[in-house]
Amino acid sequence: MVKVAVIYYSSTGTNYQMAKWAEQAIIETGAEAKVVRVEETAPAAAIAQNPAWQKHHEETQDVPVAHSEDIIWADAIIFSMPTRFGNMPSQIKQFIDIQGGLWAQGKTANKVVSAMSSASNPHGGHEGTLLNFYTSMMHWGAIIVTPGYTDASAYTSGGNPYGTSVTQSQQDGSMVEDVEEAVKHQARRVVEVANKVHG
Ligand SMILES: Cc1cc2nc3c(=O)[nH]c(=O)nc-3n(C[C@H](O)[C@H](O)[C@H](O)COP(=O)(O)O)c2cc1C
């Protein structure tokens, strides 16, 4: 069975929840799943000025931190990240940028990769974040797998064919669109392709 790492960054819990839904769907296929969080690099003072960020930060300390070994271990990787001004968060970028050693050894090549995202506005950078992230994955030699419109869930979740993405309510922080099934379909699709490539 293929091994799938779910590597996420989340300040206030949205992408953490998406990562957990992906994990559930991966396990249900019989594949191996491992959810790891990218290390928080923001200063404590920045985290403390947002109570939701502080709370989520404290609540997820027991989630293992992502390391290069997780990339080596994985046949496939699902990344989940919020937008930061239309781009990936610096925490994810830092994680990508410290994999130069693996890349030089050819150990990022042929990983089946897919990504998910979130933003506070419906047009606030969902697609841009994923496209910018996938650029780095092309440099890795990854095999990028997107959901496209391969499942009915695309039409009820906002319909982002680059990767499932959700709008986080600016009122209460909840998810505006119902994306659970879209996340799970994307995860199953990653397993399906990973089985073909690495199974
Ligand atoms: C520094 C910063 C920049 C952000 N930039 C955008 C943006 O350009 N567009 C947008 O819609 N939301 C933006 N957001 C909102 C986040 O993307 C949103 O809160 C996030 O998707 C929630 O994900 P999380 O709960 O997993 O942390 C920004 C948030 C921060 C802190």
Side-chain angles (χ1 to χ4, degrees), residues 29 112 114 145-151 183-195:
T29 68
V112 172
S114 196
V145 173
T146 62
Y149 294 98
T150 56
D151 188 70
V183 168
K184 290 181 173 177
H185 167 69
Q186 185 171 347
R188 287 191 292 268
R189 185 165 159 83
V190 165
V191 171
E192 183 189 339
V193 175
N195 269 321

Side-chain angles (χ1 to χ4, degrees), residues 8-18 49-50 53 56 81-87 117-126 166-168 170 173:
Y8 77 94
Y9 175 74
S10 186
S11 296
T12 56
T14 310
N15 286 272
Y16 170 70
Q17 176 63 78
M18 291 165 83
Q49 49 85 40
N50 180 344
W53 190 358
H56 183 70
M81 70 202 74
T83 192
R84 294 286 183 262
F85 307 122
N87 222 309
S117 189
S118 70
S120 291
N121 301 278
H123 304 288
H126 300 238
V166 72
T167 311
Q168 185 194 35
Q170 295 180 42

Side-chain angles (χ1 to χ4, degrees), residues 5-151:
V6 183
I7 301 179
Y8 77 94
Y9 175 74
S10 186
S11 296
T12 56
T14 310
N15 286 272
Y16 170 70
Q17 176 63 78
M18 291 165 83
K20 295 301 283 181
W21 282 331
E23 176 191 38
Q24 197 184 327
I26 295 160
I27 291 169
E28 280 167 12
T29 68
E32 269 188 75
K34 183 195 274 192
V35 176
V36 287
R37 68 181 165 89
V38 163
E39 192 165 29
E40 181 59 88
T41 56
I47 299 171
Q49 49 85 40
N50 180 344
W53 190 358
Q54 180 72 43
K55 182 168 182 283
H56 183 70
H57 182 64
E58 288 169 8
E59 283 174 356
T60 50
Q61 284 305 299
D62 59 336
V63 178
V65 170
H67 293 291
S68 300
E69 290 69 30
D70 298 311
I71 296 171
I72 295 168
W73 172 85
D75 298 305
I77 307 168
I78 298 174
F79 287 92
S80 196
M81 70 202 74
T83 192
R84 294 286 183 262
F85 307 122
N87 222 309
M88 71 185 93
S90 58
Q91 291 84 350
I92 290 272
K93 187 72 164 65
Q94 160 86 350
F95 180 73
I96 297 300
D97 288 356
I98 59 176
Q99 307 309 330
L102 281 198
W103 170 85
Q105 298 166 54
K107 291 184 176 167
T108 59
N110 300 334
K111 300 292 175 182
V112 172
V113 165
S114 196
M116 310 189 288
S117 189
S118 70
S120 291
N121 301 278
H123 304 288
H126 300 238
E127 290 98 331
T129 301
L130 294 169
L131 291 173
N132 290 327
F133 176 77
Y134 286 144
T135 299
S136 297
M137 293 300 101
M138 290 184 222
H139 289 247
W140 275 21
I143 297 166
I144 297 170
V145 173
T146 62
Y149 294 98
T150 56
D151 188 70

Side-chain angles (χ1 to χ4, degrees), residues 164-177:
T164 307
S165 67
V166 72
T167 311
Q168 185 194 35
S169 163
Q170 295 180 42
Q171 273 69 49
D172 63 5
S174 64
M175 296 191 198
V176 174
E177 302 90 8

